[in-house]
Structure formats: C-alpha cells, structure tokens
Amino acid sequence: MKKQSTRAKTTAPAKPSVRAKVAKKGARCVVCAAEVAPFSTEELCWVCRRLKISAWRDVEGQAAIQE
C-alpha cells in the first residue's frame, strides 16, 4: 500500500503571459501605431515587420558586395 502525502497539494491557476495580455488589449505597433500582427513578437504591425526584414536583406546584400 502506498503512503499518502501529508503535504497539501496546491494548484496555482496558470497566469497568462504578458504577450497574451498585450494582444488582448489591442496592442499598437511601436513604429506607426497600427494594430500589432498577431504573430509578432517584436510589437510591430505586419507592414513594419516586412520593412524590417527587407532592410536586413539589403544590409546583408551590401556587406557581401563590399567583401
């Protein structure tokens, strides 16, 4: 027979993450104040996110040409 634990088991309710709270409130893009893309971890709207990715590609391309 198994001995039962005398320690009380507590189940803390799961806290929603900070990102989940921000997404519920209708977070705004830090650049243009548009609504944040639902998948964005950078607090950017989809337009600003695409511009950022394009800028990274341009910088990487220029670095390759200079070498």
Side-chain angles (χ1 to χ4, degrees):
M1 204 177 202
K2 237 182 181 184
K3 185 177 178 183
Q4 290 184 349
S5 175
T6 56
R7 193 171 21 166
K9 293 182 181 180
T10 58
T11 56
K15 291 183 180 180
S17 68
V18 174
R19 294 269 180 222
K21 288 180 184 177
V22 171
K24 287 180 183 178
K25 292 182 181 178
R28 297 291 178 190
C29 176
V30 295
V31 177
C32 68
E35 187 176 339
V36 172
F39 51 84
S40 178
T41 58
E42 303 150 326
E43 297 181 0
L44 297 174
C45 69
W46 68 271
V47 175
C48 292
R49 186 173 180 272
R50 292 300 303 160
L51 289 170
K52 178 182 171 184
I53 292 168
S54 296
W56 281 351
R57 287 184 187 147
D58 290 345
V59 169
E60 289 173 357
Q62 290 173 0
I65 293 171
Q66 290 176 354
E67 290 178 3

